Amino acid sequence: MSEPQVFERIRDEIGKNDVLLFMKGTPVFPQCGFSAAVVDVLSQLGVKFHGVNILVDPELRQGIKEFSQWPTIPQLYVKGEFVGGCDIIREMFETGELEQVFKEKGVALAEAA
Ligand SMILES: N[C@@H](CCC(=O)N[C@@H](CS)C(=O)NCC(=O)O)C(=O)O
Ligand code: FES
């Protein structure tokens, strides 16, 4: 069976954005607490990211789950690699592992004030 057409769009977005969050709502106005929590973590780290609102695109909402083989939103991609959803990102943030991933992948973080 050929792969869903939406995969091409997903690859394109992932290729264009070093840090990409598939989410519900937008970074400025998240529409679910799980998405809001990841936005909050990224903001605390001072990481610039692009948000894709899957609520306005049912095909993408389904497609990203198949693409990542991960059943829920949010989904964070860093330099083309799926890192995790809300629980994983929060956990990695708390242990300092997330910061490490960004550093290893060469993603800029804001200096702590
Ligand atoms: N435990 C999940 C929480 C996210 C979650 O449960 N998302 C649900 C509710 S927002 C979801 O995406 N459901 C499928 C859908 O709405 O398409 C995580 O770590 O990311
Ligand atoms: S939209 Fe209801 S839990 Fe995310």
Side-chain angles (χ1 to χ4, degrees), residues 4-23:
Q5 249 180 2
V6 70
F7 279 20
E8 205 173 308
R9 266 173 60 213
I10 292 171
R11 277 198 198 93
D12 182 56
E13 285 286 356
I14 290 171
K16 280 193 306 205
N17 299 283
D18 280 357
V19 184
L20 181 65
L21 182 64
F22 293 92
M23 64 178 292

Side-chain angles (χ1 to χ4, degrees), residues 3 18 21 29 33 38 52 54 58 81 91 94 98-99:
E3 66 173 35
D18 280 357
L21 182 64
F29 187 37
V38 178
V52 172
I54 57 82
E81 202 177 307
E91 167 82 20
E94 273 155 32
L98 188 62
E99 194 171 345

Side-chain angles (χ1 to χ4, degrees), residues 28-99:
V28 172
F29 187 37
Q31 292 189 52
C32 168
F34 297 122
S35 289
V38 178
V39 168
D40 185 57
V41 163
L42 295 174
S43 305
Q44 285 193 55
L45 287 173
V47 170
K48 285 209 184 77
F49 68 99
H50 180 68
V52 172
N53 182 6
I54 57 82
L55 287 180
V56 297
D57 192 333
E59 200 187 349
L60 190 58
R61 181 178 186 166
Q62 185 51 36
I64 190 61
K65 293 170 189 163
E66 291 168 19
F67 183 85
S68 309
Q69 300 188 306
W70 186 260
T72 52
I73 314 296
Q75 298 190 13
L76 183 69
Y77 275 83
V78 181
K79 296 252 170 137
E81 202 177 307
F82 175 60
V83 180
C86 174
D87 296 342
I88 289 173
I89 297 303
R90 262 199 296 222
E91 167 82 20
M92 287 175 77
F93 178 54
E94 273 155 32
T95 61
E97 201 185 330
L98 188 62
E99 194 171 345

